[in-house]
Amino acid sequence: MDFEKLLVQSLDGVTESRVKDAMLYSLTAGGKRIRPNLLFEVLRGYGVDESLGVPFAAAIEMIHTYSLIHDDLPAMDNDDLRRGRPTNHRQFDEATAILAGDGLLTEAFHIASSADVPPEQTVRAIHILSEMAGPDGMVYGQCLDMNEAKDSTYDDIRNVHKYKTGCLLSAPLMIGAVLSGKDEAETEQWHEVGDLLGLAFQIQDDILDITATPEQLGKSNSDERNEKITVVKLLGEEKARQEMKSLYEECRLRIKKFGGFEYDSLIRMINAIEARAK
Ligand code: GRG
């Protein structure tokens, strides 16, 4: 299955315009596709045909890309570089970048609602997607992040990461469980795995921001310029690394506990995420 091709094809029906060009510009800029692959790994582990997940994987990657476009805007982090290219508002203009984000967010739900799976699974998956992306999920996390207090504690920062980063990693895991016919309780356990993964992933992001160059990362380190409080600043690099390792370990332990789930491939993916250099 060629997900890259399917992702681009999922926008084939969208009217040609400057905003479509801007949507495709960021969508095809070479993201790591962690979220789509998490969804495919859950389906694989439960022995379900991965192609069933394509519309939802595309929708999640589109929502993730919209969040990066909006996060880079002058009113937010004001960044010039993303995925190794000029940010969307630098390449196009601010108004087009706002519309490109809006377009990706709304088109994501259009694509998800057209999935060829039982309607009750589609409704549950869309319910999860909107909750994880919206004002009870990632948007809430971004709001907390924008209004961060100067005396924030590690627990405060953990809460920001749970929503800002964890929710959009939980969504593909949970939707994978839904498409595999799993009940609410099991789906909720995948939510917890996503929370842990989000916390680990975000600490790693903070560590990479100070240990790798903007060229290696393909993005600028705006945390320093915007005087953001990071886990590395609060705990020191060594303790932050230990915390990250124990979160990834806890994540692996939880994954190995799911009944009827072939976990080897997903565990290999988690190991690869932990070893990432960008
Ligand atoms: C604007 C509603 C709104 C939300 C923005 C995504 C985000 C929330 C902020 C971006 C800054 C940031 C560090 C977010 C945490 C999530 C994260 C580490 C995103 C980067 O994800 P990767 O590494 O990116 O998967 P690629 O480019 O590989 O897809």
Side-chain angles (χ1 to χ4, degrees):
M1 185 183 63
D2 184 349
F3 177 68
E4 287 306 309
K5 203 169 153 194
L6 293 169
L7 179 62
V8 173
Q9 277 176 357
S10 66
L11 290 180
D12 276 357
V14 171
T15 310
E16 297 303 322
S17 67
R18 183 170 164 82
V19 73
K20 182 177 177 181
D21 293 345
M23 288 158 71
L24 281 168
Y25 171 80
S26 292
L27 202 59
T28 58
K32 296 183 288 298
R33 311 303 192 215
I34 287 174
R35 295 153 191 83
N37 281 313
L38 285 173
L39 202 165
F40 296 135
E41 288 297 349
V42 173
L43 294 177
R44 203 171 288 149
Y46 281 124
V48 174
D49 180 4
E50 284 164 53
S51 65
L52 282 183
V54 169
F56 298 100
I60 293 166
E61 189 63 19
M62 286 166 68
I63 292 177
H64 168 58
T65 303
Y66 119 74
S67 79
L68 298 178
I69 295 173
H70 281 192
D71 186 66
D72 289 335
L73 286 168
M76 295 213 188
D77 280 358
N78 195 16
D79 276 313
D80 295 335
L81 191 67
R82 169 71 68 181
R83 291 175 165 174
R85 293 188 187 185
T87 46
N88 201 288
H89 65 277
R90 286 274 171 206
Q91 180 71 17
F92 293 86
D93 55 75
E94 228 178 298
T96 305
I98 292 170
L99 287 177
D102 295 341
L104 285 164
L105 174 60
T106 40
E107 187 59 21
F109 288 98
H110 187 215
I111 290 166
S113 67
S114 315
D116 190 16
V117 298
E120 62 275 16
Q121 287 189 1
T122 303
V123 171
R124 266 181 80 201
I126 289 178
H127 187 85
I128 289 167
L129 194 51
S130 53
E131 188 173 330
M132 291 299 116
D136 287 320
M138 179 181 68
V139 169
Y140 174 62
Q142 182 75 346
C143 175
L144 291 176
D145 189 50
M146 293 281 126
N147 296 290
E148 173 188 271
K150 292 282 167 227
D151 58 352
S152 294
T153 62
Y154 178 47
D155 280 348
D156 297 330
I157 299 293
R158 259 178 87 106
N159 198 43
V160 175
H161 294 174
K162 176 174 144 77
Y163 289 96
K164 187 178 93 166
T165 311
C167 283
L168 220 57
L169 292 167
S170 290
L173 298 171
M174 296 169 79
I175 292 172
V178 167
L179 300 181
S180 304
K182 301 300 155 189
D183 63 14
E184 295 260 350
E186 190 152 338
T187 305
E188 196 44 41
Q189 285 168 16
W190 282 106
H191 188 177
E192 288 168 18
V193 172
D195 283 348
L196 290 165
L197 188 58
L199 296 175
F201 192 80
Q202 188 61 62
I203 296 176
Q204 188 174 21
D205 218 58
D206 290 352
I207 294 171
L208 286 171
D209 270 347
I210 57 158
T211 55
T213 63
E215 288 73 30
Q216 287 165 325
L217 296 176
K219 61 173 184 166
S220 34
N221 178 4
S222 54
D223 284 352
E224 203 54 52
R225 175 169 33 84
N226 293 334
E227 297 180 357
K228 301 297 291 185
I229 299 170
T230 68
V231 175
V232 177
K233 280 185 200 160
L234 283 173
L235 302 183
E237 190 181 331
E238 202 39 51
K239 272 209 169 133
R241 276 188 198 280
Q242 284 167 12
E243 179 74 355
M244 176 194 85
K245 273 191 187 159
S246 72
L247 285 161
Y248 274 125
E249 197 45 40
E250 176 67 16
C251 200
R252 281 185 283 260
L253 289 174
R254 299 277 190 110
I255 290 169
K256 288 179 181 173
K257 282 190 183 151
F258 286 100
F261 184 76
E262 278 293 327
Y263 55 72
D264 287 351
S265 187
L266 177 55
I267 295 290
R268 273 198 298 278
M269 184 182 167
I270 302 293
N271 294 344
I273 296 175
E274 188 174 3
R276 79 192 165 108
K278 65 172 197 170

